[in-house]
């Protein structure tokens, strides 16, 4: 279909919430887990934190971790590259 890709080509999806934050933290978490996306990261501006989901099995992410401002976290190995992400940078972009 137009603008659609097979889920297996993605190692990680990163999203920033807007007014539809409940979709990003609810149905999309389930959808990406069911599709087998290894890592889903949500910069949750509503709750001022980042949600890191990994290890999709049985239609759900087995690992979910919330990261607060002022911290950083390592992207899980499943992504295929070593990367540390700043919570503040994800929430604020270059303005933080």
């Amino acid at each position: 279909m137009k603008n659609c890709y097979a889920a297996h080509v993605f190692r990680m999806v990163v999203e920033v919430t807007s007014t539809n934050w409940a979709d990003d933290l609810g149905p999309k978490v389930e959808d990406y887990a069911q599709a087998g996306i290894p890592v889903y990261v949500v910069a949750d501006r509503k709750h001022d934190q980042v949600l890191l989901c990994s290890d999709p099995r049985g239609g759900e992410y087995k690992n979910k971790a919330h990261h607060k401002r002022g911290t950083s976290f390592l992207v899980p190995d499943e992504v295929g590259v070593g990367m540390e992400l700043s919570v503040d940078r994800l929430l604020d972009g270059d303005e933080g």
Side-chain angles (χ1 to χ4, degrees):
M1 292 176 18
K2 186 177 179 182
N3 294 324
C4 292
Y5 298 90
H8 74 274
V9 302
F10 295 95
R11 305 303 306 150
M12 178 171 71
V13 172
V14 179
E15 296 203 49
V16 178
T17 60
S18 60
T19 56
N20 67 338
W21 61 270
D23 290 339
D24 297 329
L25 299 173
K28 282 188 179 181
V29 174
E30 295 172 13
D31 291 344
Y32 287 131
Q34 290 173 1
I37 303 296
V39 177
Y40 180 47
V41 176
V42 183
D44 178 3
R45 296 186 305 175
K46 170 76 173 168
H47 301 101
D48 208 33
Q49 62 185 357
V50 171
L51 172 63
L52 170 64
C53 302
S54 61
D55 192 15
R57 286 185 281 142
E60 65 182 56
Y61 284 107
K62 298 300 180 183
N63 297 321
K64 293 180 185 174
H66 296 273
H67 298 278
K68 303 280 185 201
R69 278 194 176 277
T71 65
S72 295
F73 60 93
L74 295 175
V75 171
D77 292 337
E78 295 87 347
V79 173
V81 296
M83 186 180 349
E84 184 174 354
L85 297 176
S86 161
V87 171
D88 292 353
R89 187 73 177 266
L90 288 170
L91 291 170
D92 300 331
D94 288 334
E95 296 178 14

